[in-house]
């Protein structure tokens, strides 16, 4: 539900780095977003079209690399995709598990001209 | 020709930096601060109402209340004895962010307070992503919400420093498997300090108040 604020941040970061690189135009934004980051791609793209208007990022394509959530068992070291009904390890049944992937939430790079 | 410019910057970096500024500002005034987060109706304001009278004469407390609209919660905090109560209306936003807290801090003479309690907007998802710069974040889970919430809202359970389990007076009336709930919490936030209590009957409040007083003391 906070896609507007997030989109504004993505735009600010992209414009700042484009300026530093002396770019004329931003063609693409490459985002890395983990499963646990609650963001809807379509909404970000929607806000983007409005927010980026009149900037050198107007018309830029947003690319979302989605990282699946992952838990790792402290007992048997197996990694698995978390199920939301129970966090137990599907291999050995242990409840000593930790989240190891899915928190990513960054602007990885931009493609500029 | 298109060239790729590497960035690798966290999307909420700007908010995080502002949160650090808030932290410095509170730190230099010697104020201990907590950010209370929970779903709507979990009992954030009720816990604050129960907490304030118990701190009377011990701590000078300011409350900042975030809500989408109305000043009902800040009024309740003032009524319950907060030395200052500021309402921040987020204008539709589902969370407080560091800019909003800064706006509220600017309205306070921070040297006049020992403790700042921030009540975030009722929401079990978004507030977790937006740091405010408070010393500790506290999540309130409440019994009628159900025992599966850690599994469904892992983000919220992971980042907090303390967990209040409110409305324990309702345990006899609502199905709630405490061990299932606690197992989820343990995975997401190993060893997090937990306070089962009722903001209605006052049961369990003492441990919570002791923790708060201890935290403020260790800050000095
Ligand atoms: N039975 C019972 N009811 C409670 C308890 N704590 C709060 N309530 C009730 O729960 C309802 C919501 O409490 P609030 O304190 O307003 O909740 P809140 O989290 O501040 O709500 P928002 O600010 O609107 O998100 C009220 O009707 C309270 O009386 C409790 O420990 N037991
Ligand atoms: Mg409230
Ligand atoms: Zn295992």
């Amino acid at each position: 539900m906070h896609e507007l604020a997030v989109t504004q941040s993505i735009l600010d970061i992209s414009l700042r780095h484009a300026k530093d690189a002396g770019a004329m135009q931003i063609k693409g934004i490459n985002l890395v977003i983990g499963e646990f980051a609650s963001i809807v791609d379509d909404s970000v793209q929607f806000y983007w079209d409005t927010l980026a208007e009149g900037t050198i990022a107007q018309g830029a394509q947003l690319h979302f690399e989605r990282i699946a959530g992952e838990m790792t068992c402290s007992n048997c070291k197996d990694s698995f995709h978390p199920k939301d009904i129970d966090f137990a390890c599907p291999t050995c049944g242990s409840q000593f598990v930790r989240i190891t992937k899915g928190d990513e939430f960054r602007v990885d790079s931009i493609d500029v001209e | 020709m298109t060239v790729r410019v590497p960035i690798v910057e966290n999307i909420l970096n700007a908010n995080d930096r502002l949160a650090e500024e808030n932290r410095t500002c509170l730190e230099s005034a010697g104020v201990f601060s907590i950010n209370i987060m929970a779903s709507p109706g979990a009992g954030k304001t009720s816990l604050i109402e129960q907490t304030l009278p118990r701190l009377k004469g011990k701590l000078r407390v300011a409350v900042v209340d975030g809500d989408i609209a109305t000043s009902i919660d800040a009024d309740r905090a003032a009524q319950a004895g907060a030395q200052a109560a500021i309402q921040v209306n987020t204008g539709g936003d589902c969370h407080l962010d560091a800019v909003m807290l800064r706006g509220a801090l600017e309205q306070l003479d921070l040297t006049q307070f020992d403790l700042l309690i921030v009540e975030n907007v009722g929401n079990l998802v978004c507030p977790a992503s937006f740091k405010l710069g408070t010393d500790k974040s506290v999540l309130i889970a409440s019994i009628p919400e159900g025992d599966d919430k850690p599994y469904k809202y892992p983000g919220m359970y992971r980042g907090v420093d303390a967990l209040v389990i409110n409305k324990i007076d309702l345990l006899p009336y609502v199905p709630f498997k405490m061990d299932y709930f606690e197992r989820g919490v343990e995975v997401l936030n190993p060893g997090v300090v937990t306070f089962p209590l009722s903001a209605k009957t006052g049961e369990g409040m003492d441990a919570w108040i002791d923790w708060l007083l201890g935290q403020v003391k260790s800050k000095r």
Side-chain angles (χ1 to χ4, degrees):
Chain A
M1 280 298 284
H2 50 255
E3 275 77 359
L4 179 57
V6 165
T7 310
Q8 185 65 54
S9 299
I10 296 171
L11 181 62
D12 293 345
I13 291 170
S14 305
L15 290 176
R16 176 159 44 81
H17 285 270
K19 190 164 172 241
D20 290 350
M24 307 295 290
Q25 186 71 38
I26 303 179
K27 293 300 223 186
I29 320 272
N30 303 304
L31 304 164
V32 178
I33 314 280
E35 182 175 341
F36 302 126
S38 42
I39 282 296
V40 182
D41 301 8
D42 286 349
S43 311
V44 174
Q45 184 71 60
F46 170 81
Y47 286 124
W48 182 266
D49 295 339
T50 313
L51 292 176
E53 207 180 299
T55 73
I56 63 164
Q58 183 170 345
Q61 273 298 316
L62 297 174
H63 304 283
F64 294 88
E65 183 189 340
R66 283 282 181 172
I67 309 285
E70 183 193 87
M71 284 186 161
T72 302
C73 175
S74 312
N75 181 43
C76 73
K77 312 292 178 212
D78 245 18
S79 294
F80 56 95
H81 188 259
K83 307 181 283 336
D84 57 6
I85 34 137
D86 196 345
F87 290 148
C89 169
T91 311
C92 75
S94 165
Q95 278 154 6
F96 292 95
V97 298
R98 296 291 172 253
I99 291 178
T100 40
K101 265 188 204 155
D103 285 326
E104 299 76 6
F105 197 57
R106 59 176 194 265
V107 183
D108 217 42
S109 60
I110 50 176
D111 299 324
V112 302
E113 274 179 1
Chain B
M1 197 191 63
T2 309
V3 286
R4 179 155 292 187
V5 180
I7 294 182
V8 194
E9 185 168 322
N10 191 293
I11 291 176
L12 294 176
N13 195 11
N15 185 73
D16 292 353
R17 277 205 312 270
L18 256 180
E20 270 319 306
E21 284 179 34
N22 288 344
R23 182 187 304 283
T24 310
C25 167
L26 288 161
E27 192 99 3
S28 61
V31 180
F32 176 77
S33 54
I34 59 172
N35 172 18
I36 300 185
M37 298 177 282
S39 60
K44 299 177 290 298
T45 312
S46 302
L47 179 66
I48 293 169
E49 284 175 320
Q50 285 279 349
T51 301
L52 288 167
R54 289 173 166 82
L55 298 177
K56 201 171 174 205
K58 295 183 181 136
L59 299 177
R60 300 162 301 166
V61 188
V63 177
V64 171
D65 257 293
D67 257 311
I68 289 174
T70 82
S71 66
I72 295 174
D73 285 0
D75 296 344
R76 284 172 65 186
Q79 194 71 33
Q83 271 79 19
I86 292 184
Q87 186 76 43
V88 179
N89 287 134
T90 63
D93 262 356
C94 46
H95 58 270
L96 286 175
D97 63 25
V99 181
M100 297 180 209
L101 180 60
R102 182 162 77 174
L105 294 183
E106 280 166 359
Q107 300 172 49
L108 293 167
D109 176 3
L110 289 177
T111 59
Q112 297 306 304
F113 303 99
D114 310 298
L115 171 66
L116 170 73
I117 302 178
V118 180
E119 175 179 348
N120 217 310
V121 180
N123 183 317
L124 217 44
V125 181
C126 308
S129 305
F130 292 85
K131 290 181 195 148
L132 302 181
T134 49
D135 289 300
K136 301 282 174 191
S137 45
V138 178
L139 171 63
I140 305 180
S142 63
I143 298 300
E145 287 169 50
D147 50 22
D148 58 357
K149 292 302 165 287
Y151 302 89
K152 297 175 84 168
Y153 299 92
M156 186 52 92
Y157 280 81
R158 288 176 67 202
V160 298
D161 304 295
L163 173 65
V164 169
I165 305 173
N166 189 30
K167 311 197 188 182
I168 55 168
D169 57 293
L170 296 180
L171 273 170
Y173 312 105
V174 195
F176 188 98
K177 292 196 260 3
M178 191 58 89
D179 55 343
Y180 176 63
F181 175 84
E182 285 177 337
R183 205 186 321 137
V185 172
E186 180 57 25
V187 165
L188 298 168
N189 198 332
V192 66
V193 56
T194 303
F195 303 100
L197 56 82
S198 168
K200 184 174 175 224
T201 66
E203 187 188 350
M205 281 296 294
D206 290 351
W208 160 249
I209 295 293
D210 287 348
W211 180 80
L212 260 186
L213 289 171
Q215 293 292 325
V216 174
K217 207 162 153 196
S218 64
K219 178 91 185 179
R220 294 224 181 93

